[in-house]
Amino acid sequence: MGTTVSIELGEDRPEAELGRLITEVCDWLHEVDARFSTYKADSEVSRFGRGELRIEDASADLRHVLEACADLWRDTDGYFDAYAGGALDPSGYVKGWSVEVAAARLLAAGSHDHYINAGGDIRMRGNHPDGGPWRVGIRHPWEADKVSWVLALHDGAVATSGTYERGDHVVNPRTGRPAQGLRSVTVVGPDLSIADAYATAALAMGEAGIAWLAKRAADGYDSAVVTDDGRAFSSANLPAAV
């Protein structure tokens, strides 16, 4: 998926068992990459985007992703748009969803303490191996060696979308131009696929995304935002470490 994924399991279990669990997660993420990569001409999503694959012949995973992207398009008033760049690209949903599924599979396999980080999109459960919650530093958008917030969670997802690493990669679908106004958007909530999509949508909205995100807190999605001119905003229940 064009990024590095790190996996940490907190349980005191046999090394071979932990290795098997990590291998299963990696196998799943490679399967997702093969199916959904827009950079691979033979991927399922590329073939569907070119009209070579009918929806009724698509995998259950592709049908789910397309339906979820359509729901998010409606929920975000069109700002989360898998077609914002002109061609189908559901990557703004797929990465978070794939990690959410991986974490659910770990839980089903008996792993209650785990942490998966896919390029800054993070899903964690249980306790850190040293005890207490998992801690997540949100990178300062101008100074790479500093953090803007430190979050502490036992169970939740953290997704960050910004312009400080990949440049103007998020498009405002209303204008067709790169999003402006927000430098960094972090969303924290129970589901990484939703948190990831909300962070992308808010970044596309620009400063209007701050008020839009504030309304998502009622659904359990808190946020932290830095604007292009350096102002910082965060929701009241953001799980910031004391």
Side-chain angles (χ1 to χ4, degrees):
M1 293 183 285
T3 191
T4 299
V5 179
S6 61
I7 305 162
E8 185 170 0
L9 305 182
E11 289 94 357
D12 183 15
R13 300 166 73 168
E15 185 174 344
E17 186 176 348
L18 294 174
R20 177 182 57 80
L21 291 174
I22 289 176
T23 296
E24 290 174 356
V25 169
C26 291
D27 288 346
W28 159 247
L29 295 176
H30 283 298
E31 177 186 335
V32 170
D33 184 55
R35 176 166 289 150
F36 289 100
S37 174
T38 57
Y39 298 100
K40 297 178 180 178
D42 61 344
S43 71
E44 187 176 12
V45 76
S46 293
R47 290 187 289 117
F48 180 81
R50 292 193 302 267
E52 298 171 5
L53 179 69
R54 300 183 304 170
I55 188 65
E56 53 266 33
D57 297 325
S59 67
D61 284 342
L62 178 57
R63 293 197 301 271
H64 163 77
V65 165
L66 294 174
E67 290 171 3
C69 287
D71 289 342
L72 286 162
W73 182 84
R74 289 187 291 269
D75 293 344
T76 62
D77 197 23
Y79 279 97
F80 182 86
D81 189 349
Y83 291 89
L88 174 63
D89 183 359
S91 302
Y93 176 82
V94 165
K95 187 170 69 162
W97 164 75
S98 66
V99 174
E100 184 69 34
V101 170
R105 291 184 177 187
L106 284 174
L107 182 63
S111 172
H112 296 274
D113 302 308
H114 55 257
Y115 178 102
I116 306 175
N117 182 344
D121 289 344
I122 304 165
R123 185 65 166 93
M124 72 285 289
R125 280 193 176 90
N127 296 316
H128 186 275
D130 295 333
W134 300 93
R135 295 168 70 90
V136 180
I138 306 304
R139 211 202 88 168
H140 192 288
W142 284 281
E143 301 178 60
D145 60 339
K146 296 181 180 180
V147 295
S148 298
W149 289 273
V150 176
L151 309 179
L153 298 91
H154 285 285
D155 187 352
V158 179
T160 298
S161 185
T163 61
Y164 50 85
E165 283 191 344
R166 295 174 58 194
D168 296 329
H169 68 288
V170 173
V171 173
N172 179 336
R174 300 288 180 85
T175 65
R177 299 175 61 83
Q180 294 182 333
L182 301 183
R183 181 77 172 175
S184 173
V185 177
T186 295
V187 177
V188 182
D191 187 307
L192 183 56
S193 58
I194 303 301
D196 196 5
Y198 281 178
T200 301
L203 191 70
M205 292 177 192
E207 290 200 19
I210 299 172
W212 183 84
L213 283 171
K215 297 176 182 178
R216 309 283 79 76
D219 299 322
Y221 289 89
D222 288 288
S223 56
V225 177
V226 179
T227 64
D228 281 344
D229 58 5
R231 291 170 292 141
F233 300 85
S234 61
S235 56
N237 293 320
L238 186 76
V242 177

